[in-house]
Amino acid sequence: MLKKLLRLLLFFIVSSSFAQQTISGIISNENTEEPLAFVNVTLKNSPHQGTISDIDGKFSIQINKNPIELQLSYIGFETRIIEATTSDSPLYLSLKPSEEQLDEVLLKTGNPALPIIKKVIAHREKNHPQHLPEYSHDYYNKVIFDIESDGKEVDSALNKVLKGGHILVMESITKKEFKNPRLKNETVIANRVSGFKNPMFTALASDMQPFSFYDEVIDLLDMHFLNPISNGAINKYDYQLKETLFQNKDTIHLISFQPKEGKNIEGLKGLLYINTKNYAIQNVIASPFEDLKIDLKIQQQYQYLPEEVWFPEQLNYSLKLSTNAGGNNDFVIAEGKSYIRNVNLQPNLTTKDFSAVVLKIDEEAPKKDSVYWQTHRTVPLSEEETITYRVIDSLGEELKFDKIISYTHKLPQGKIPIGKIDLDLTKLFGYNKHEGTRLGAGLYTNEKLIKDLELGGYFGYGFKDYEWKYGLSAKYIISKDDDIFVKAAYQDDIKEIGSYGLPLSENLYNGLRDFMIEKVDHIQKYSISGGFRSFKYLQTEIELNQAKITPLNNYAFKATDYNLNPFHHTSASIKLRYAYAERFIQTPYQKMSLGTKFPIVTLQYTHGFDGLLEGDFNYQKVEARIEQNVFLKNFGKTSYRIQAGYVDEILPRSLLFTGEGSHDDDFPVVIENTFQTMLPYEFLSDRYLDVFLSHNFGSLLFKSEKFNPEIIVHHNLSWGDLRDDYTLYNFKTKENVYLEGGLELGRLLKLNYLDIAYVTFGAGAFYRYGNYHLEDFDDNIALKFNVGFSFN
């Protein structure tokens, strides 16, 4: 009896071990040797028993006999049947591209893909990770850069230098936390770039695609593409059921998608792998439908968690741009992979765990050693990647890559660091109608001299007014996280009239609007200011200043009880800017805004003091502004700005409201948030209301293969008033409503820029009508041009 039991036990052990034999391998493109993601691998005689290769082309399948015939099938490739046996080493298999296309699965009842897609759309909100209550996870990111060339000389030179490695390898490890509805934090805790000891840009290179494929609109390369599983997408896209696959007990429908013929949308093309378990995306491959100067393809793979939730598991992208070096077909290629791990759907987060900074690069991130990386890499380095670090690190040290890249850290601030001094590029060159050409320089200390303290100044000389200008300042940053600072400054310079309140733009430059500056004051000003951030999205700035202002352009302030030239101005102001859900990236060098989808509200209050520090005026001044860019699916982008201001006392024209026009025959350029048909200083007001409204249809209204202009419509209105106490000099008032409308066409002319994008030129026509319509019809029309940048 005991012998029988032993024999029976031995039989089950042998049978079990035999039944659990596994064949694994990697599948690649026979022509390019690139891994093929999501290949269908089945047993030839049991098509319902199979698997799908992962996003890196890897697969593993269990068999119950040895050898076995495997069938490999993939859209756009020839089906292959191989005989395989179990082995300790993985199989390296390849598929050959086929010119023949798989036929669509058609039934008499109609397109079988549509019912499946409708179910996917119905489950989209439920399957979207953004609608989970909270989660946290880690990323391991890797980006590899290479050059692909058909020129033998280029290939030979590269191989000689790179010694079989890549041009560049970038790695980073990121911790991400999310809490519904919109709270998100990402911290780069480790980063490494071949050739650099102190890289601070790895996180940006890996952020090339959305975290999941469930948003209504997919943002790629700063373009907005309609998602094929968004609401209403069925009317815009064609779908084809290419194949039905079986993986273990799951049924997976393979569906291709592309925009319908004649539908002018920014669309995508690709493949969806739909798992009937929750009708969720298991895998997706997508790229822009229309050819762009930069070829971009994204791949996403999802995992089914024990909590019965689908969640992203791996995100890949490939980017290819032409360089045409030496007349060859040369391309720079970037291959990025993000592995998502340690997913926790119950991290117990609170709102206090989040700030407005959504991506922060830790100062210790570049200092992680090789032991740390060996422990935390999801995928070990390949031989080519190891060679890359060895070769490029040596080149980086020899050619001082870190020093070169350090010059770019502060470019968003308009500065270049030179040792312990920052050179302010905004002070090097300028032009306006009062000064003509202005040359100068700005020099400020940086963190290498004294951390968190900036000392410096600028100077400039105008070649038309023959005057020197200069300024000095000291700024101390108390907290970078909360934007707390104090600053003291002095300037002896010029200032445009009407610009003593809210600026036209928050950017470093006002663009070509600065070229039109003609009516100015000479100002000698002392100021003390400070600022801080509170409630995540509220930025507060407070300023105290005393200035001696001398109006230029033959103007003297004359009103009841006043006859001053120059005059003294002492004031205190507070500025509040609230941008809900505004996102920031923070590095050890700077904080950059990524903007917000919600309205931005700005309020500024100024109080002038008579008799304090020689101040001549006691008054109150209030300005308010609300603005927003709204992207509307299938309709384009609407932009608006509404602003108003009020002064309660009689003041010099410098402190009133003017300068909102941009109609200048010398500079016929479309300038955002100005009145295109109004002269720069045509009106003067002590109270006003301006409304700027535009809508960019993109190419939704008209598109052909080689001509896809942007169509933008504008409508602006303004109202203002001025007390009767003023004597006007070359100004008008606008007690009635000022109206103008316009049509702007962008991308009429496209010039190839380095074969990676287009510099575009367009034109616009604006018409002035209503109460301030001019007698001569031609005087009401402003013809202007625009300049842009586009990938398509």
Side-chain angles (χ1 to χ4, degrees):
M1 181 68 179
L2 180 60
K3 290 183 179 180
K4 290 183 179 180
L5 288 174
L6 290 174
R7 287 171 184 166
L8 185 61
L9 179 61
L10 180 62
F11 172 78
F12 280 117
I13 292 175
V14 171
S15 300
S16 176
S17 63
F18 182 78
Q20 291 177 359
Q21 292 181 91
T22 300
I23 295 177
S24 62
I26 300 175
I27 308 172
S28 63
N29 183 322
E30 184 176 301
N31 292 351
T32 65
E33 299 182 355
E34 296 176 349
L36 286 178
F38 318 137
V39 176
N40 189 27
V41 182
T42 60
L43 303 184
K44 180 185 177 184
N45 296 324
S46 302
H48 284 204
Q49 184 179 350
T51 188
I52 298 174
S53 67
D54 68 14
I55 203 167
D56 293 322
K58 299 177 182 178
F59 74 92
S60 178
I61 187 171
Q62 293 184 349
I63 63 172
N64 52 19
K65 66 178 182 177
N66 210 355
I68 197 75
E69 285 188 315
L70 297 180
Q71 179 171 296
L72 313 180
S73 61
Y74 192 61
I75 301 297
F77 289 77
E78 295 180 359
T79 298
R80 182 180 176 186
I81 298 174
I82 64 165
E83 185 177 279
T85 58
T86 56
S87 172
D88 293 335
S89 301
L91 299 174
Y92 290 91
L93 308 173
S94 62
L95 294 181
K96 183 178 180 180
S98 172
E99 295 182 0
E100 298 180 3
Q101 298 293 324
L102 265 159
D103 294 332
E104 178 185 2
V105 179
L106 292 177
L107 301 174
K108 293 182 180 180
T109 55
N111 185 351
L114 291 182
I116 300 171
I117 290 296
K118 288 178 180 178
K119 290 181 180 180
V120 174
I121 294 174
H123 286 78
R124 186 174 64 86
E125 296 291 323
K126 178 182 177 181
N127 290 323
H128 198 320
Q130 184 174 302
H131 291 92
L132 292 170
E134 60 177 353
Y135 62 78
S136 67
H137 64 81
D138 298 336
Y139 280 111
Y140 168 67
N141 306 297
K142 182 190 292 183
V143 185
I144 296 172
F145 292 85
D146 268 318
I147 285 185
E148 181 182 286
S149 175
D150 64 1
K152 294 182 179 179
E153 293 182 1
V154 175
D155 274 341
S156 177
L158 285 174
N159 288 329
K160 185 176 180 180
V161 174
L162 301 178
K163 300 179 181 179
H166 306 289
I167 291 178
L168 197 71
V169 175
M170 304 170 61
E171 296 177 280
S172 66
I173 295 175
T174 304
K175 174 71 175 179
K176 179 180 178 180
E177 296 175 326
F178 171 86
K179 187 174 180 63
N180 213 324
R182 298 179 184 87
L183 299 177
K184 183 179 74 170
N185 279 342
E186 292 189 42
T187 303
V188 179
I189 56 180
N191 62 350
R192 186 182 181 190
V193 179
S194 58
F196 297 89
K197 295 180 180 178
N198 193 27
M200 287 297 170
F201 48 85
T202 50
L204 304 182
S206 60
D207 190 22
M208 293 292 294
Q209 62 173 305
F211 180 66
S212 78
F213 204 75
Y214 284 102
D215 292 332
E216 284 273 317
V217 175
I218 303 297
D219 293 333
L220 301 172
L221 295 175
D222 201 29
M223 300 177 65
H224 309 290
F225 296 92
L226 180 66
N227 192 332
I229 61 166
S230 64
N231 293 325
I234 287 180
N235 299 321
K236 305 289 184 179
Y237 275 92
D238 275 329
Y239 307 90
Q240 292 186 0
L241 178 61
K242 294 294 187 180
E243 198 171 357
T244 296
L245 315 176
F246 302 95
Q247 185 179 31
N248 299 324
K249 297 181 180 180
D250 293 340
T251 301
I252 302 161
H253 298 295
L254 176 54
I255 297 175
S256 68
F257 60 88
Q258 69 176 41
K260 288 184 176 181
E261 187 175 352
K263 295 294 183 179
N264 288 334
I265 63 171
E266 299 292 352
L268 298 168
K269 62 181 179 181
L271 297 169
L272 288 166
Y273 290 69
I274 304 302
N275 195 306
T276 54
K277 189 184 297 180
N278 296 347
Y279 280 88
I281 297 173
Q282 179 169 318
N283 308 301
V284 60
I285 302 172
S287 60
F289 176 71
E290 296 179 337
D291 292 335
L292 306 179
K293 276 297 181 182
I294 295 180
D295 291 335
L296 177 65
K297 180 175 73 173
I298 65 172
Q299 298 173 320
Q300 296 189 352
Q301 178 173 299
Y302 294 75
Q303 58 186 317
Y304 193 66
L305 299 178
E307 294 88 347
E308 299 184 349
V309 169
W310 288 95
F311 199 84
E313 181 178 25
Q314 188 173 339
L315 312 175
N316 287 8
Y317 75 84
S318 63
L319 185 149
K320 184 176 182 181
L321 59 94
S322 173
T323 63
N324 284 335
N328 301 313
N329 291 321
D330 301 325
F331 300 91
V332 174
I333 298 174
E335 300 280 350
K337 297 182 179 182
S338 295
Y339 300 86
I340 297 164
R341 58 197 188 182
N342 301 326
V343 179
N344 183 359
L345 299 187
Q346 294 180 325
N348 297 320
L349 300 170
T350 67
T351 55
K352 294 181 180 180
D353 296 320
F354 298 88
S355 69
V357 177
V358 296
L359 178 57
K360 182 178 181 179
I361 302 178
D362 192 281
E363 292 188 21
E364 300 297 315
K367 301 177 183 179
K368 299 295 190 294
D369 58 21
S370 58
V371 175
Y372 177 92
W373 282 105
Q374 289 175 6
T375 305
H376 290 82
R377 283 191 182 100
T378 303
V379 180
L381 293 179
S382 66
E383 182 180 355
E384 292 86 353
E385 292 162 357
T386 303
I387 292 173
T388 304
Y389 274 119
R390 185 176 67 249
V391 172
I392 303 301
D393 282 353
S394 177
L395 284 174
E397 188 170 348
E398 179 183 348
L399 301 177
K400 303 185 185 307
F401 285 176
D402 280 292
K403 184 176 182 180
I404 295 172
I405 201 67
S406 68
Y407 294 136
T408 66
H409 288 157
K410 295 187 178 181
L411 276 181
Q413 303 174 35
K415 296 178 179 178
I416 292 181
I418 304 175
K420 299 177 181 180
I421 301 295
D422 288 342
L423 174 65
D424 190 342
L425 300 177
T426 67
K427 305 299 183 183
L428 293 179
F429 171 81
Y431 179 86
N432 58 69
K433 288 192 170 184
H434 178 81
E435 294 179 287
T437 299
R438 172 169 168 162
L439 301 179
L443 300 173
Y444 299 88
T445 62
N446 59 35
E447 65 282 345
K448 292 183 179 179
L449 183 64
I450 307 175
K451 187 177 181 181
D452 299 328
L453 178 63
E454 177 189 271
L455 303 172
Y458 71 90
F459 65 90
Y461 181 79
F463 285 83
K464 184 177 179 180
D465 66 350
Y466 307 108
E467 294 288 347
W468 286 95
K469 296 90 180 174
Y470 68 94
L472 302 170
S473 66
K475 181 179 181 180
Y476 179 62
I477 299 175
I478 300 172
S479 170
K480 291 182 180 179
D481 291 337
D482 296 317
D483 296 333
I484 303 175
F485 73 92
V486 292
K487 180 179 180 180
Y490 172 78
Q491 64 178 135
D492 188 325
D493 208 330
I494 62 168
K495 190 171 181 65
E496 184 182 20
I497 66 172
S499 66
Y500 290 78
L502 292 178
L504 173 65
S505 170
E506 299 291 341
N507 298 328
L508 290 173
Y509 297 95
N510 282 333
L512 293 179
R513 174 60 182 82
D514 284 348
F515 284 24
M516 303 175 188
I517 294 175
E518 184 174 14
K519 297 183 184 296
V520 299
D521 301 326
H522 174 226
I523 181 170
Q524 296 167 288
K525 173 183 170 184
Y526 297 89
S527 65
I528 298 175
S529 59
F532 59 90
R533 179 175 293 276
S534 56
F535 308 107
K536 289 190 179 72
Y537 309 120
L538 178 63
Q539 179 70 39
T540 302
E541 293 184 18
I542 300 171
E543 181 175 358
L544 306 173
N545 72 73
Q546 192 278 333
K548 178 183 177 181
I549 300 175
T550 305
L552 304 178
N553 308 109
N554 299 318
Y555 166 79
F557 175 55
K558 294 180 180 181
T560 305
D561 300 327
Y562 297 105
N563 187 1
L564 303 171
N565 189 15
F567 61 87
H568 293 83
H569 178 232
T570 303
S571 68
S573 65
I574 180 170
K575 177 182 175 183
L576 305 175
R577 180 183 180 274
Y578 186 77
Y580 177 71
E582 183 175 22
R583 302 169 301 146
F584 292 89
I585 293 177
Q586 183 171 310
T587 74
Y589 302 103
Q590 63 186 312
K591 179 185 285 188
M592 298 177 291
S593 174
L594 299 176
T596 176
K597 297 179 181 179
F598 296 90
I600 299 174
V601 180
T602 307
L603 176 67
Q604 181 164 303
Y605 171 76
T606 303
H607 189 21
F609 298 95
D610 182 8
L612 178 63
L613 299 176
E614 301 182 327
D616 292 320
F617 306 102
N618 187 75
Y619 70 94
Q620 297 182 83
K621 182 179 184 180
V622 180
E623 283 188 272
R625 173 187 294 166
I626 181 170
E627 56 191 330
Q628 185 182 15
N629 294 320
V630 182
F631 183 80
L632 304 172
K633 187 182 66 173
N634 298 329
F635 194 63
K637 183 180 74 172
T638 295
S639 302
Y640 69 85
R641 173 184 281 190
I642 303 172
Q643 59 189 33
Y646 174 79
V647 174
D648 70 343
E649 295 291 344
I650 300 171
L651 294 176
R653 68 176 188 180
S654 306
L655 304 179
L656 299 178
F657 307 113
T658 188
E660 63 266 59
S662 63
H663 182 27
D664 190 321
D665 291 336
D666 295 330
F667 304 103
V669 182
V670 177
I671 298 177
E672 190 178 29
N673 294 320
T674 64
F675 292 94
Q676 312 297 328
T677 60
M678 184 189 295
L679 298 176
Y681 310 103
E682 185 172 350
F683 296 94
L684 184 69
S685 307
D686 59 14
R687 66 204 72 184
Y688 78 97
L689 171 67
D690 291 341
V691 178
F692 302 98
L693 179 64
S694 65
H695 183 80
N696 188 338
F697 288 96
S699 54
L700 295 174
L701 300 182
F702 177 81
K703 181 190 297 185
S704 65
E705 184 176 349
K706 294 185 178 180
F707 186 57
N708 59 334
E710 283 185 308
I711 300 176
I712 309 168
V713 294
H714 298 262
H715 195 271
N716 307 321
L717 64 89
S718 180
W719 170 87
D721 201 0
L722 188 68
R723 291 179 179 82
D724 295 333
D725 305 84
Y726 290 94
T727 301
L728 293 177
Y729 298 89
N730 300 319
F731 288 96
K732 295 185 289 188
T733 58
K734 46 181 176 180
E735 297 89 352
N736 299 307
V737 177
Y738 182 97
L739 297 168
E740 69 173 19
L743 176 65
E744 185 181 356
L745 300 178
R747 296 201 298 245
L748 293 178
L749 176 64
K750 299 191 295 187
L751 299 181
N752 192 345
Y753 178 73
L754 300 179
D755 216 32
I756 62 174
Y758 297 102
V759 176
T760 66
F761 298 89
F766 298 84
Y767 183 67
R768 172 174 177 161
Y769 70 98
N771 296 300
Y772 296 96
H773 181 273
L774 302 175
E775 292 185 7
D776 191 333
F777 179 80
D778 292 343
D779 291 338
N780 296 288
I781 298 175
L783 301 177
K784 300 191 172 188
F785 70 89
N786 59 47
V787 181
F789 192 79
S790 174
F791 290 109
N792 64 341

